[in-house]
Amino acid sequence: MAEIVLERLTKVYPDGTKAVSDLDLEVGAGEFVVFVGPSGCGKTTALRMVAGLETITSGDVRIDGQVVNDLPPKNRDIAMVFQNYALYPHMTASRNMGFALKMQGVPKGEIDRRVRDAARILGLTDSLQKKPRTLSGGQRQRVAMGRAIVRNPQAFLMDEPLSNLDAKLRVEMRAEIARIQRDLGVTTVYVTHDQIEAMTMGDRVAVMRNGFLQQVDTPQLLYETPRNLFVAEFIGSPAMNLVVAELAREDGALWARFGEHRLRLAKATLERNPGLERFEGRSLALGIRPEDIEDASLVSDGASGRRLSVVCDIREDMGSEVYVHFNIAAPPVATKEVLEAQIVDAPEDAEAKIAAEQARGSGAPFVARLDRTTSAKEREKLELAVDVERLHFFDMATGLAVRAA
Ligand code: ATP
């Protein structure tokens, strides 16, 4: 296994498109790092530069300390798994897996041994003699993984390898790939636009937007301490609720006021984010995760400084919990970065969405994930309690989380 280091990695395509800008990232030996971001954010281009399939405009890719910028793909000792894995239809699973080794002149006995080992890891032992058309989608994907595994590479590079599978199979295969990667301990860089895939698979997740790395952290840190509005809105499902709020001091405490609502900032929040003091009397973006809002009648601490009185618009019973949608009559945080995070498939539509939201002028849409015993009813009043220790705050001018003084 190898360490992969990207240093100020940049790609400008001949037509002038800047796909990747000054990307710095260290992938530790044996680590599983996932690139995630909306369509067109540059994640595939970054991966292809590591693989050697795309020329590098500036910056370096180093594998185990060696700059490989000019090394052809076959000399980088890495194996790629793509979305379109194109198995040879006339060859059995076994021959598909061993084909690259055969081309390299590896002796037959050695090929057989490696294919058998990979098949065992992948649960494909009984399917080795089958042709691709008689394999299920998941088995075909496993064969594609097998082709990479038999090469015993220093690193795996995977580009949306699960996107052709149906939803159920994707969930199964993502657990499977994560397990195989852990068992083999091979350094892996994985690309997806699916934030759930990224969060469940990666040791660390690198969030990209418009060619720029936004934040790279463990899934939990990304979720709990997003660096900016884009990451806050992109990571998490349902997404973080955002509203424009004003910080005001009353009775010695700081309150976030938005519309007719107000929440008292917890002492712990102020200690963690001393920079908030600077925003007294000013507007900022307040973020509340859906699970940090509960039906007030189910919470023992009903202090008034954490209440929201709303009208339930839509109640969705999920079985394990209930999603309640409601509207907060205060300005939504409709900045470009927030809307790009919301429309992952077509971030270029963000401008049009901003205009539509502004024309609507109907406040900020909120979602709460309530305990399944809630008696919330559609079109009725609902008292909610917010976990004010977990509020998030962002500077509207820069989009950055407000933390240090
Ligand atoms: P997706 O998930 O849609 O594949 P991505 O995040 O992987 O997106 P890239 O494929 O790396 O994004 O593309 C990044 C940017 O570079 C996009 O704006 C894309 O249109 C542009 N791009 C990609 N390939 C080329 C090319 N050969 N020539 C010019 N521009 C390109």
Side-chain angles (χ1 to χ4, degrees), residues 112-244:
D112 287 347
R113 190 184 61 74
R114 289 206 218 169
V115 168
R116 268 201 316 275
D117 284 352
R120 194 169 31 77
I121 293 164
L122 293 160
L124 277 176
T125 304
D126 295 337
S127 310
L128 278 178
Q129 297 317 315
K130 289 189 169 179
K131 300 262 177 73
R133 78 186 139 73
T134 67
L135 295 170
S136 70
Q139 286 170 329
R140 274 181 230 155
Q141 186 57 49
R142 284 193 177 85
V143 174
M145 285 281 296
R147 286 198 301 207
I149 292 173
V150 294
R151 291 175 49 198
N152 201 10
Q154 291 264 38
F156 290 135
L157 304 181
M158 304 194 194
D159 191 355
E160 305 250 6
L162 305 183
S163 56
N164 283 341
L165 305 181
D166 66 45
K168 185 162 171 286
L169 202 51
R170 281 177 78 129
V171 173
E172 272 173 44
M173 282 303 293
R174 79 178 184 224
E176 188 82 337
I177 291 180
R179 177 186 65 78
I180 292 165
Q181 193 276 340
R182 219 179 29 244
D183 289 353
L184 297 174
V186 178
T187 313
T188 301
V189 184
Y190 187 105
V191 162
T192 180
H193 65 273
D194 179 345
Q195 58 97 14
I196 296 178
E197 212 165 282
M199 296 289 277
T200 51
M201 297 178 85
D203 294 323
R204 284 189 305 150
V205 176
V207 182
M208 292 189 65
R209 172 186 178 228
N210 290 341
F212 290 92
L213 182 64
Q214 304 289 297
Q215 183 171 359
V216 52
D217 256 319
T218 62
Q220 193 168 1
L221 276 176
L222 268 188
Y223 192 78
E224 287 176 357
T225 52
R227 244 194 105 239
N228 61 29
L229 276 169
F230 179 81
V231 177
E233 189 67 7
F234 187 73
I235 299 289
S237 174
M240 184 186 283
N241 299 298
L242 290 168
V243 65
V244 179

Side-chain angles (χ1 to χ4, degrees), residues 28-73:
E31 196 180 16
F32 192 141
V33 168
V34 181
F35 277 119
V36 70
S39 178
C41 70
K43 48 198 190 297
T44 294
T45 302
L47 193 78
R48 288 172 60 84
M49 285 193 280
V50 177
L53 299 172
E54 201 65 72
T55 57
I56 293 169
T57 308
S58 63
D60 288 324
V61 173
R62 278 191 274 133
I63 299 181
D64 263 351
Q66 187 199 355
V67 175
V68 297
N69 294 17
D70 300 320
L71 215 56

